[in-house]
Amino acid sequence: QVQLVESGGGLVQPGGSLKLSCAASGTIFAINAMGWYRQAPGKERELVASMPTGGSTNYADSVKGRFTISRDNAKNTAYLQMNSLKPEDTAVYYCNAKILEMRTRSRYSYWGQGTQVTVSS
């Protein structure tokens, strides 16, 4: 009933930039938080950045100063601007949203399908 559609992944050279987008749609009463996670081969999925509604942004130490999360609440969309990309940033990036459902007014966690980001020369 709620869908998260991601876009913006691809191949980029070290030092380059990419911008990911995540649009939420469906029976949404409110979005409490949106964030980005990533999972590299052989590693656990980790939080990259999050932005609670009305709260402060959070970043993993490894991306702090290079990545910026933003949200367009009118469009139910989150973005992840990634600058100064490094090979170790290579991973599948997943959008996450904590959504208050229209019908039940209960909070659920939803995930996007994932988008591949590859940083290589």
Side-chain angles (χ1 to χ4, degrees):
Q1 196 168 13
V2 174
Q3 299 178 28
L4 303 182
V5 179
E6 302 177 26
S7 63
L11 175 65
V12 66
Q13 294 184 344
S17 298
L18 283 175
K19 188 174 184 178
L20 307 182
S21 299
C22 173
S25 62
T27 54
I28 300 169
F29 180 79
I31 299 177
N32 291 331
M34 296 189 76
W36 293 91
Y37 293 72
R38 68 185 181 188
Q39 188 166 20
K43 295 185 178 181
E44 298 287 320
R45 185 174 298 188
E46 65 173 348
L47 173 69
V48 176
S50 66
M51 190 173 185
T53 302
S56 300
T57 56
N58 304 285
Y59 296 95
D61 290 340
S62 59
V63 308
K64 205 166 188 176
R66 299 187 298 120
F67 291 10
T68 303
I69 186 172
S70 61
R71 288 174 57 183
D72 186 336
N73 293 331
K75 298 179 180 179
N76 290 335
T77 300
Y79 306 92
L80 185 67
Q81 178 66 52
M82 303 183 293
N83 299 324
S84 302
L85 283 161
K86 305 174 181 179
E88 47 264 48
D89 294 319
T90 296
V92 177
Y93 284 70
Y94 296 91
C95 178
N96 175 262
K98 304 295 192 298
I99 293 176
L100 199 65
E101 296 276 1
M102 186 76 74
R103 296 178 183 178
T104 65
R105 305 298 175 89
S106 298
R107 194 178 77 166
Y108 295 91
S109 180
Y110 288 92
W111 293 92
Q113 78 280 3
T115 183
Q116 177 70 47
V117 172
T118 302
V119 184
S120 176
S121 60

